[in-house]
DNA sequence: TTTTTATATTGCAATATTACGATAAAGAAT
DNA sequence: ATTCTTTATCGTAATATTGCAATATAAAAA
């Protein structure tokens, strides 16, 4: 075992889980927050921002990219990483929708 | 290695990562969605809803509970599980705030 | 062309996660 | 008291993740 049984769940459930899983590490949260904070997306210094080795940061960036949370475009020998706003918007909608549903049936349980 | 270096990040970053990590599995997304869908929180049949063995579901419920995403109260020999609305609200705020920040500096990069 | 700069990839050790059978615990029903 | 129902825990195998040193790649600068 050890592998997630994705076939038991809907595509949307798997999609959301992929996104939240990609965000499920403080380094990747820190990267996202840094990319939001800085204005111009020159992101080579993410390595300096985090106290992690360069290959480790590179791996985290790869995971965020695979999940569709960030985009990277080559700029000379450096790479411009930035947030993929559509994906953040998707998550925002997902949790807002959840909150709305909970609001409707206020504290009916527990 | 293999262990996350939480000491390099802020408490808030670690807290958000803990929540998103707990949601980073389709079974746990499915559990949360089921708990939102049903009206009265009688949750013994989560096991029937998911195609996973009972110990596996129990383990996922434990993780959601540890993360503070659900609450469980004993009801005879069964257990009443339900969403912890405060935690969902926290996530909703987090992503809404993120979206707002991104909205302000619309597509300045990539 | 050689060196520097920026990033990715490989390989590997340590650790964590996922899943489930077997079993335990504890109240409910008989 | 015994059995049923519901849920948790233990043990364990399979797999995934985290982190980094070493190395590769590729464009820029010298």
């Amino acid at each position: 075992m050890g592998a997630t049984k994705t076939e038991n769940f809907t595509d949307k459930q798997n999609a959301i889980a992929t996104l939240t899983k990609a965000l499920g590490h403080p380094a990747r949260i820190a990267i996202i927050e840094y990319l939001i904070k800085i204005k111009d997306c020159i992101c080579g210094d993410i390595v300096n921002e985090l106290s992690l080795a360069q290959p480790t940061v590179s791996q985290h960036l790869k995971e965020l990219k695979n999940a569709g949370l960030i985009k990277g475009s080559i700029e000379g020998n450096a790479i411009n990483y930035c947030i993929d706003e559509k994906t953040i918007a998707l998550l925002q909608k997902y949790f807002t929708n959840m909150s709305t549903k909970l609001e409707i049936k206020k504290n009916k349980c527990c």
Side-chain angles (χ1 to χ4, degrees), chain A:
Chain A
M1 291 85 216
T4 296
K5 284 188 155 186
T6 54
E7 69 274 17
N8 292 339
F9 309 100
T10 68
D11 286 352
K12 188 161 187 210
Q13 284 168 343
N14 282 312
I16 293 289
T18 298
L19 292 178
T20 48
K21 186 178 184 181
L23 290 174
H25 191 290
R28 295 195 290 267
I29 291 289
I31 290 171
I32 294 286
E33 291 182 351
Y34 181 70
L35 286 177
I36 286 176
K37 195 179 72 181
I38 59 164
K39 285 164 294 300
D40 37 24
C41 279
I42 297 160
C43 306
D45 34 19
I46 294 171
V47 174
N48 298 333
E49 270 288 303
L50 313 186
S51 320
L52 288 171
Q54 181 269 322
T56 307
V57 172
S58 187
Q59 199 174 295
H60 283 308
L61 286 168
K62 193 180 179 183
E63 274 175 79
L64 288 170
K65 201 174 159 189
N66 286 343
L69 283 157
I70 65 175
K71 293 179 285 188
S73 57
I74 297 160
E75 191 92 2
N77 65 336
I79 293 180
N80 237 352
Y81 276 115
C82 72
I83 296 277
D84 190 326
E85 304 178 23
K86 292 190 307 303
T87 312
I88 300 293
L90 196 152
L91 281 167
Q92 189 256 314
K93 260 175 228 156
Y94 184 76
F95 286 107
T96 297
N97 188 248
M98 216 175 233
S99 286
T100 304
K101 283 180 185 164
L102 287 170
E103 190 68 22
I104 288 164
K105 48 171 178 167
K106 275 184 184 154
N107 295 346
K108 273 193 186 146
C109 49
C110 295

